[in-house]
């Protein structure tokens, strides 16, 4: 994961703030639309997940714990880095 993130950082080192924000807006809208399309039975489906020691986890757990919570951790670190207070 660290190698993939490092390669991504090198590949996109010249990205402007505007390009980054536009890509974030586009990708987050697409991700939200995809999540909204999931039915209850999709969210309840459980499989083994290597990121969690091969524990059997539901789709809903992965979305809430990894995709959403993990993103909030990144946002908090970004805000701290640029000293922007959180909304609330």
């Amino acid at each position: 994961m660290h190698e993939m993130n490092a390669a991504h950082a090198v590949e996109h080192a010249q990205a402007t703030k505007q390009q980054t924000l536009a890509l974030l807006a586009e990708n987050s809208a697409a991700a939200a639309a995809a999540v909204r399309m999931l039915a209850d039975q999709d969210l309840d489906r459980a499989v083994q997940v290597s990121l969690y020691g091969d524990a059997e986890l539901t789709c809903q757990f992965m979305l809430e714990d990894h995709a959403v919570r993990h993103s909030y951790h990144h946002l908090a670190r970004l805000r701290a880095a640029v000293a922007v207070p959180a909304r609330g």
Side-chain angles (χ1 to χ4, degrees), residues 12-86:
H12 299 283
Q14 301 303 315
T16 66
K17 179 179 178 179
Q18 291 76 21
Q19 290 170 325
T20 302
L21 292 173
L23 186 60
L24 178 60
E26 180 183 333
N27 287 342
S28 60
V35 169
R36 287 185 188 106
M37 291 176 53
L38 295 171
D40 287 345
Q41 61 267 26
D42 299 321
L43 294 169
D44 290 341
R45 187 172 300 128
V47 298
Q48 287 185 319
V49 180
S50 62
L51 289 173
Y52 293 84
D54 290 327
E56 195 167 286
L57 303 172
T58 64
C59 177
Q60 181 174 341
F61 177 87
M62 283 300 297
L63 288 170
E64 291 174 353
D65 186 65
H66 189 74
V68 176
R69 183 190 57 80
H70 188 80
S71 297
Y72 278 109
H73 283 281
H74 281 292
L75 180 59
R77 287 183 177 177
L78 288 168
R79 283 190 170 131
V82 296
V84 174

Side-chain angles (χ1 to χ4, degrees), residues 3-14:
E3 289 176 21
M4 182 180 71
N5 287 340
H8 188 261
V10 169
E11 181 181 349
H12 299 283
Q14 301 303 315

